[in-house]
Amino acid sequence: MVMAGRIRLSFQMRVFLTVLALCWLLVGVFMVLEYHREKEFKTSLLDARLQMHNDRIIEDIRQGQHIEDIVARIGVPVEGLRVTLIDKDGNVVYDNNRHAALPPTNHNDRPEIKTARAYGAGHAVERLSESDDVNYFYSARLGSNGMVVRSAAPYTHTLVDFLKADSSLLWIMAALTLVMSLAVFLSTHTISQSITRLHRFAQKAERGERIYNDEAFPNDELGSIASNIVQLYVQRDEQHRKALMLEQDKIRLKKQLTNNINHELKTPVASILLCLDLLDDHPELASDKKKEFMQKIRVNARRLNALLKDVATITRMDEGAKLIRKENIDLTALICEIVEEERLRTDMTISLNVPKLTIYGNRILLESIFRNLIDNAIAYSGATEMKITADTDGNFTISDNGCGIASEHLPHIFERFYRVDKGRSRAAGGTGLGLSIVRNAVAIHGGDITAESAGGLTYTFRLKVNKNVTKSS
């Protein structure tokens, strides 16, 4: 209710007042600085003029002339100039102002005297004299034997006019400010027209009304924004259609996955049931034959177990990628651990060249990437050597010198249940989901993976490493 009662300024007025205030502030600061700079310049000129007078007096005193004779002879450069001679103890020993007695106070505490004794010369812009109650401009010069000659110019109308800054600059800056204000008003008026039209356009779009491009927009950034809003409905419909297609694809993939799982389960289940039926129907079988059937049951049971694990993993990645628990993991140590374990079950040489890398990710999924790629090489490639390399940016290359894969299979090897040699894959206990798990795990960790076959098989992928905690090794 309070907000409703307030006067709401238009966009143009808000921008105009803001820019106008900034312009006036900028000009005001410039005028103040320029005023003080000019005043300081004129003060320096007056001080230099009086210091030249002090230098003449000091030089004549050094040559043995009396101060009164010097002042009478050389005169004064400024009307009413007061010349004072101060000894090293701060006592005034001479003052050409005959209308006032010599002040008894110590003058060494005067700012111009302090500066003169410290640096040879000093001045004070304006201070009231205790002896005659007149404001003076003081310039002091240190002479020989600690004597200081001080010239004091009274603040007459002439001196005040001389030290006053030139007001013509103020008028020029005021006129410039008015011109800037007019320019700001015209600019904000032009912008306001575009904003107002764009606002009406956005309101119609928000209400879902049909939009007609019956208002012209300027050919600038705002016009481009307006064009994008006109296209909003087309993009929204397109996004809606894509969302429906994506949902249909997910349903289709789930059905396909279910059908593939049923198909993959049939063979090991049938083999297990067949072996159990034979053992049950023929108890007289020889012990070595019984062992053979038990071995087949064990192999197919392990295959079923692996299939169920892979299906659970890939389902979890599909339906809950954002819910997968992540933490900072020493990726290099994890890879070394996997390689050491894999070396125990193969004669293939596995070389490792990976810098110290840390990644914010899921340990199980990261382990599945490297373990699946190494297991595939061991089971199917016939390779004698495998290399795992990476750089500090998390770009990995895993290659072997095996038989490789025919080019027509390469585009499909990351698909679920795709097998290059179905009979050989099943005989080796593969589920057909390993490389699909690898692709999804890499994607969850911010990368993608590709494969090429030339003198073996080479996988290239990138994992998003945490460089804030990565150190070179």
Side-chain angles (χ1 to χ4, degrees):
M1 295 298 293
V2 176
M3 292 298 295
R6 293 181 181 176
I7 298 176
R8 183 181 177 89
L9 296 176
S10 66
F11 173 81
Q12 176 190 357
M13 188 57 63
R14 294 199 304 272
V15 174
F16 172 69
L17 292 178
T18 302
V19 178
L20 185 64
L22 291 175
C23 290
W24 278 89
L25 178 62
L26 178 63
V27 171
V29 170
F30 176 79
M31 290 172 64
V32 170
L33 293 177
E34 183 63 21
Y35 177 82
H36 286 287
R37 187 193 68 81
E38 184 178 355
K39 192 170 183 178
E40 289 178 0
F41 174 71
K42 289 187 175 182
T43 299
S44 299
L45 287 180
L46 178 59
D47 181 53
R49 186 177 177 185
L50 295 180
Q51 293 292 6
M52 290 177 63
H53 185 259
N54 294 339
D55 288 339
R56 288 188 63 186
I57 295 175
I58 291 173
E59 179 61 24
D60 289 347
I61 291 175
R62 190 180 64 79
Q63 293 178 5
Q65 299 182 36
H66 194 271
I67 181 62
E68 291 185 355
D69 297 336
I70 297 171
V71 173
R73 178 172 52 82
I74 66 177
V76 292
V78 177
E79 181 182 357
L81 185 71
R82 183 176 174 182
V83 179
T84 306
L85 195 60
I86 303 161
D87 64 15
K88 64 180 179 179
D89 295 323
N91 301 312
V92 177
V93 297
Y94 171 78
D95 193 323
N96 68 339
N97 184 5
R98 301 182 183 278
H99 302 290
L102 295 179
T105 56
N106 189 322
H107 278 50
N108 279 339
D109 60 348
R110 303 293 197 270
E112 69 277 6
I113 304 300
K114 285 184 178 180
T115 306
R117 292 195 182 282
Y119 303 104
H123 72 273
V125 174
E126 184 175 0
R127 193 180 72 250
L128 181 67
S129 174
E130 297 178 358
S131 59
D132 58 5
D133 291 331
V134 176
N135 285 322
Y136 287 95
F137 180 95
Y138 295 93
S139 290
R141 174 74 72 179
L142 179 65
S144 58
N145 299 324
M147 193 72 68
V148 174
V149 176
R150 185 183 69 180
S151 296
Y155 272 82
T156 61
H157 290 295
T158 303
L159 182 61
V160 171
D161 290 340
F162 173 76
L163 293 178
K164 185 169 60 176
D166 189 2
S167 61
S168 60
L169 177 63
L170 302 180
W171 289 108
I172 293 174
M173 295 304 298
L176 179 61
T177 304
L178 291 176
V179 173
M180 291 173 60
S181 301
L182 179 60
V184 169
F185 176 78
L186 295 176
S187 299
T188 55
H189 179 68
T190 301
I191 295 175
S192 176
Q193 287 183 328
S194 298
I195 292 294
T196 301
R197 294 175 183 175
L198 185 60
H199 181 62
R200 289 199 298 267
F201 222 143
Q203 285 182 325
K204 290 182 179 180
E206 186 177 3
R207 292 193 297 265
E209 298 179 6
R210 187 173 181 180
I211 297 176
Y212 298 95
N213 193 13
D214 53 357
E215 289 186 296
F217 287 87
N219 187 21
D220 54 17
E221 289 82 358
L222 292 179
S224 177
I225 293 175
S227 299
N228 290 336
I229 293 178
V230 172
Q231 297 172 7
L232 179 64
Y233 285 95
V234 176
Q235 294 177 357
R236 185 180 61 179
D237 291 341
E238 182 68 18
Q239 290 173 357
H240 182 64
R241 186 179 64 84
K242 287 182 178 180
L244 289 176
M245 291 180 61
L246 183 61
E247 187 63 27
Q248 292 174 356
D249 286 341
K250 286 183 178 180
I251 295 173
R252 180 178 56 82
L253 287 174
K254 287 182 179 180
K255 290 182 177 179
Q256 182 180 357
L257 179 62
T258 302
N259 293 333
N260 288 334
I261 292 173
N262 290 333
H263 178 73
E264 293 295 326
L265 289 174
K266 287 180 180 179
T267 301
V269 168
S271 179
I272 291 173
L273 291 175
L274 177 61
C275 291
L276 289 174
D277 288 340
L278 289 173
L279 289 172
D280 188 49
D281 294 338
H282 301 280
E284 74 283 357
L285 287 174
S287 59
D288 57 343
K289 202 65 176 177
K290 289 181 180 180
K291 287 183 179 179
E292 180 183 346
F293 287 143
M294 291 299 296
Q295 181 62 25
K296 287 183 179 181
I297 293 173
R298 189 176 293 108
V299 168
N300 283 282
R302 287 174 179 169
R303 184 179 168 197
L304 281 174
N305 184 53
L307 179 62
L308 292 175
K309 285 183 179 180
D310 285 350
V311 169
T313 299
I314 205 161
T315 302
R316 182 177 59 176
M317 287 191 291
D318 283 347
E319 298 183 354
K322 294 182 179 180
L323 302 178
I324 292 176
R325 181 175 176 272
K326 292 183 178 181
E327 59 185 343
N328 283 322
I329 295 172
D330 186 343
L331 185 58
T332 307
L334 176 63
I335 297 172
C336 290
E337 179 182 333
I338 294 171
V339 169
E340 288 301 321
E341 292 177 3
E342 295 292 338
R343 283 172 177 165
L344 297 176
R345 52 185 292 266
T346 181
D347 294 331
M348 183 176 65
T349 302
I350 304 176
S351 60
L352 188 63
N353 183 15
V354 178
K356 185 69 174 177
L357 299 175
T358 300
I359 187 169
Y360 184 71
N362 181 272
R363 182 181 182 88
I364 296 176
L365 295 183
L366 290 171
E367 182 178 348
S368 71
I369 295 173
F370 297 94
R371 198 174 292 281
N372 274 305
L373 294 179
I374 296 174
D375 287 345
N376 274 10
I378 294 174
Y380 310 121
S381 70
T384 59
E385 182 180 0
M386 186 177 198
K387 296 180 180 179
I388 303 175
T389 61
D391 59 21
T392 55
D393 292 325
N395 295 303
F396 281 84
T397 300
I398 299 181
S399 60
D400 61 58
N401 62 350
C403 60
I405 296 176
S407 58
E408 64 268 18
H409 296 295
L410 282 176
H412 308 287
I413 61 173
F414 295 106
E415 296 176 5
R416 297 170 184 177
F417 296 107
Y418 186 85
R419 290 185 174 90
V420 176
D421 186 341
K422 296 183 179 180
R424 185 183 176 191
S425 297
R426 286 195 175 92
T431 65
L433 292 173
L435 290 181
S436 181
I437 291 174
V438 169
R439 180 188 62 185
N440 283 273
V442 169
I444 288 173
H445 290 88
D448 53 18
I449 184 169
T450 59
E452 60 180 18
S453 182
L457 189 59
T458 300
Y459 297 97
T460 304
F461 59 95
R462 184 173 187 269
L463 300 177
K464 188 177 181 181
V465 297
N466 188 351
K467 289 194 172 184
N468 292 328
V469 294
T470 297
K471 298 180 180 178
S472 300
S473 61

